[in-house]
Amino acid sequence: MRKFELIVPCHFGMESVLKKEIDDLGYDITEVADGRVTFFGDEEAVCRANIFLRTAERVLIKIGSFHAESFEELFQGTKKLPWEEYIPVNGKFWVAKAASIKSALFSPSDIQSIMKKAMVERMKEAYHIEWFPEDGDSFPVRAFLMKDEVTVGLDTTGESLHKRGYRRLTAKAPIAENLAAALIMLTPWNKSRILVDPFCGSGTIPIEAAMMAASVAPGMHRTFTAQNWKHIVKTELWNEALEEAAELIDMTADPDIQGYDIDDGMVEIARQNARLAGVDKLIHFQRRDVEKLSHPKKYGFLITNPPYGERLQDNELSALYRTVGERYRELDSWSLYLITSYENAERDIGRKADKNRKVYNGMLKAYYYQFLGPKPPRAGKR
């Protein structure tokens, strides 16, 4: 099979989680950088990475890299890349996104325009034609510029991998599915332990946990751009990866996963999304105010994305986090994991977090506060 170097972007701060996922799939990591992990893989890896990775944003085939401090260097560097090995004569190709950090070239629109022109010139020479119809399959390109080093990748995914296909209805401030999965994976939670999200909104955190509990691959029910690239990845490889995913599903799993929200409408939306994800029987959703948060079980997990302040006044936000702290103290031996941009979260909860990780939720800088409860006793020990 053909070998590729695959670039997988993720949320800033979640590189270690994604690295572990790729390791678990059996591939060799070549680089871990801010916001992305790179690894070697074959055509099958393109399929498996898109279907199985829970914390990734997309999967790119690395076309090449070069140094560029001027638009002329950018043009020549792009032109030297072997575009004809990937894009057929009728392919629709464009630079979908360009990101620049600490580089002389910083205008995304100019970078995109220059690179497109260079691609056209290369393709003219390769195909001996002057005009391209671009009426075939799509080949979106992404470029990263870091300290004048340009890395170029072909996007095999299309719509971001956080779009699993189950979330048709959302809350006003939803958390992305891949970020929700990463937050869960940063905890010691497993399907034998109870998980409660007291601010569940459209149900993303409980649904992602249930999919993990039942081993449901996140990309099973969506399509990918590269499925049309039969000259690069054969259709049977996609089918084999989907068959592998189907065989791993275990709907006999019996996790205790619960989602609460104060809004009846949101609770119903969460139930509908869980049904679309195929895990509605693994989650209990109910209308419940955080003031009434309690549970008889021990050693549980609160994993949640509470309001940050977009729709609440400062005094309301402070009161909300004080309530979270009060209710958490009444939960014997539980752990609390909470993502928020609210700066006084620890003060109002009434306890300094045992761990704290900076995370970007979209463009918003947030913190993942981790209040650790005791470990449960080993089975067979009192």
Side-chain angles (χ1 to χ4, degrees):
M1 282 192 183
R2 189 175 181 181
K3 294 289 184 181
F4 303 110
E5 194 168 9
L6 300 173
I7 305 168
V8 186
C10 64
H11 285 271
F12 282 97
M14 295 302 171
E15 298 85 2
S16 62
V17 187
L18 176 57
K19 178 181 181 295
K20 184 179 185 307
E21 279 202 278
I22 295 169
D23 280 334
D24 289 345
L25 283 179
Y27 300 113
D28 295 325
I29 307 289
T30 59
E31 182 186 16
V32 179
D34 287 345
R36 67 181 190 267
V37 179
T38 304
F39 70 97
F40 282 122
D42 54 16
E43 298 163 24
E44 181 185 67
V46 173
C47 309
R48 296 182 75 234
N50 273 297
I51 290 168
F52 285 101
L53 292 178
R54 298 185 188 278
T55 62
E57 290 187 357
R58 58 190 65 251
V59 179
L60 310 174
I61 295 174
K62 183 177 178 180
I63 305 300
S65 59
F66 54 89
H67 186 87
E69 296 180 40
S70 67
F71 285 124
E72 178 61 23
E73 289 178 326
L74 178 68
F75 181 91
Q76 295 300 335
T78 303
K79 188 179 175 184
K80 287 178 182 177
L81 299 177
W83 295 108
E84 68 279 3
E85 294 181 11
Y86 301 91
I87 304 173
V89 68
N90 68 335
K92 180 182 179 182
F93 57 97
W94 73 103
V95 181
K97 185 174 181 180
S100 176
I101 300 173
K102 298 179 181 178
S103 298
L105 304 177
F106 56 85
S107 167
S109 59
D110 289 337
I111 292 167
Q112 290 167 293
S113 176
I114 294 293
M115 290 185 68
K116 169 73 176 193
K117 289 176 183 176
M119 292 169 69
V120 169
E121 289 305 310
R122 170 77 185 209
M123 302 270 280
K124 279 182 180 179
E125 293 177 6
Y127 287 116
H128 308 292
I129 60 174
E130 289 296 314
W131 180 81
F132 294 91
E134 297 199 50
D135 57 0
D137 296 321
S138 295
F139 293 83
V141 172
R142 292 189 168 234
F144 308 93
L145 282 73
M146 169 62 80
K147 296 180 180 178
D148 301 319
E149 291 299 316
V150 185
T151 302
V152 186
L154 194 61
D155 181 10
T156 72
T157 302
E159 276 197 310
S160 172
L161 288 174
H162 82 267
K163 294 189 177 181
R164 319 292 205 210
Y166 67 74
R167 199 166 71 179
R168 308 289 172 82
L169 301 165
T170 65
K172 291 181 181 177
I175 189 169
E177 293 91 320
N178 55 349
L179 179 55
L183 297 180
I184 297 166
M185 294 166 75
L186 280 169
T187 79
W189 177 80
N190 62 65
K191 61 185 178 183
S192 69
R193 307 272 297 274
I194 182 172
L195 184 155
V196 173
D197 180 357
F199 300 96
C200 74
S202 52
T204 307
I205 290 175
I207 291 170
E208 289 294 319
M211 290 174 70
M212 290 179 199
S215 298
V216 177
M220 284 192 69
H221 303 297
R222 53 159 291 167
T223 58
F224 308 97
T225 301
Q227 284 177 294
N228 294 320
W229 304 351
K230 295 176 178 57
H231 62 296
I232 297 177
V233 185
K234 297 180 177 63
T235 299
E236 53 261 35
L237 294 176
W238 289 103
N239 293 337
E240 287 171 8
L242 286 169
E243 286 172 13
E244 178 188 359
E247 289 172 1
L248 290 172
I249 295 175
D250 177 17
M251 293 311 293
T252 66
D254 188 26
D256 193 345
I257 300 171
Q258 302 181 21
Y260 309 150
D261 201 276
I262 195 172
D263 186 333
D264 276 321
M266 289 314 309
V267 171
E268 184 52 38
I269 285 172
R271 287 181 179 136
Q272 289 184 44
N273 288 338
R275 280 194 289 273
L276 288 168
V279 294
D280 52 306
K281 291 181 171 56
L282 305 182
I283 310 171
H284 173 67
F285 289 109
Q286 65 171 271
R287 183 190 179 282
R288 183 186 289 196
D289 193 320
V290 70
E291 290 181 354
K292 297 180 180 178
L293 177 61
S294 64
H295 208 282
K297 288 187 178 180
K298 299 179 69 171
Y299 305 108
F301 287 79
L302 293 174
I303 305 178
T304 192
N305 173 42
Y308 296 179
E310 310 89 350
R311 301 180 304 280
L312 297 177
Q313 300 297 320
D314 286 346
N315 60 330
E316 293 177 306
L317 201 60
S318 180
L320 178 69
Y321 281 76
R322 285 200 303 272
T323 300
V324 170
E326 291 165 4
R327 300 318 308 154
Y328 173 53
R329 283 189 288 277
E330 294 298 316
L331 288 167
D332 182 27
S333 69
W334 280 52
S335 298
L336 167 63
Y337 294 83
L338 178 148
I339 182 172
T340 182
S341 65
Y342 177 50
E343 294 181 355
N344 295 321
E346 289 174 299
R347 181 201 69 187
D348 291 336
I349 288 171
R351 172 180 161 184
K352 185 173 176 58
D354 297 289
K355 293 182 180 180
N356 181 6
R357 179 185 288 251
K358 183 164 66 175
V359 178
Y360 281 85
N361 186 3
M363 297 302 293
L364 182 66
K365 184 173 74 173
Y367 291 91
Y368 192 39
Y369 295 104
Q370 303 167 60
F371 303 88
L372 310 181
K375 293 180 181 179
R378 291 183 182 177
K381 290 189 176 183
R382 296 185 65 183

